[in-house]
Amino acid sequence: MGINMLQKVIYYDELSALVNKDLKSNKKLPRVLVVDVRNPGEIVKHGKIMNSINLPLKALDNILSMSEEDFFSEVGIKKGELGSCLLVTHCRSGPRGFTAAHILLEHGYTRFRIYSGSLLDWVANGGHVEKDIEENTRL
């Protein structure tokens, strides 16, 4: 009995409310961490969703396997914070967000959603994108 990943999909309006802390749209906002699983070069080129962190898909399994100390050094937040947040994965167009969700699940993280529209949908709907990002795309 696995998790139906389609039930974990989040759409623009809901994610926008979470990112922008819009209490009119969502009265009980969880602490949210948007996880951008694109490669760092894509983020430099196209920007990122406000306050998201970059955990590239190709390194995600290794990053989640790191010790607490190494994780903090690499990502800039305490590893334990991942378990206390609603994690929202996304990429450029959708597929890597789903793959990242499977990896999170394999590591015991169950509080996650998948923004399947990803950055293309975010931009198409007028979502703010942070640009002029330095080489270090993590927090």
Side-chain angles (χ1 to χ4, degrees):
M1 183 172 190
I3 290 179
N4 180 348
M5 289 296 185
L6 292 178
Q7 292 177 342
K8 294 285 194 175
V9 171
I10 190 172
Y11 297 97
Y12 174 81
D13 289 338
E14 190 176 358
L15 181 57
S16 179
L18 293 171
V19 168
N20 296 309
K21 308 257 186 277
D22 183 356
L23 294 173
K24 293 176 187 170
S25 300
N26 191 346
K27 298 288 184 200
K28 295 181 180 179
L29 290 172
R31 183 154 177 254
V32 175
L33 185 59
V34 179
V35 180
D36 188 331
V37 299
R38 295 175 298 148
N39 296 319
E42 293 175 90
I43 294 171
V44 170
K45 184 175 181 180
H46 301 290
K48 68 176 192 161
I49 294 174
M50 183 173 54
N51 297 323
S52 63
I53 64 166
N54 179 230
L55 300 177
L57 181 62
K58 65 183 178 185
L60 185 59
D61 187 52
N62 289 336
I63 291 170
L64 294 175
S65 298
M66 289 178 173
S67 69
E68 192 67 51
E69 183 178 311
D70 289 344
F71 184 89
F72 183 80
S73 176
E74 179 73 16
V75 180
I77 62 172
K78 293 181 181 178
K79 191 174 183 180
E81 289 185 46
L82 293 183
S84 65
C85 294
L86 172 63
L87 305 173
V88 179
T89 63
H90 84 89
C91 60
R92 179 183 169 270
S93 60
R96 288 179 285 179
F98 277 90
T99 303
H102 283 284
I103 294 170
L104 288 171
L105 193 57
E106 288 171 4
H107 284 269
Y109 298 99
T110 57
R111 290 191 67 216
F112 64 85
R113 302 290 298 275
I114 306 159
Y115 181 37
S116 65
S118 289
L119 193 67
L120 293 177
D121 183 65
W122 182 260
V123 170
N125 280 288
H128 177 72
V129 175
E130 294 178 338
K131 295 219 176 186
D132 298 325
I133 299 160
E134 295 179 22
E135 206 171 302
N136 181 3
T137 57
R138 294 190 177 90
L139 281 181

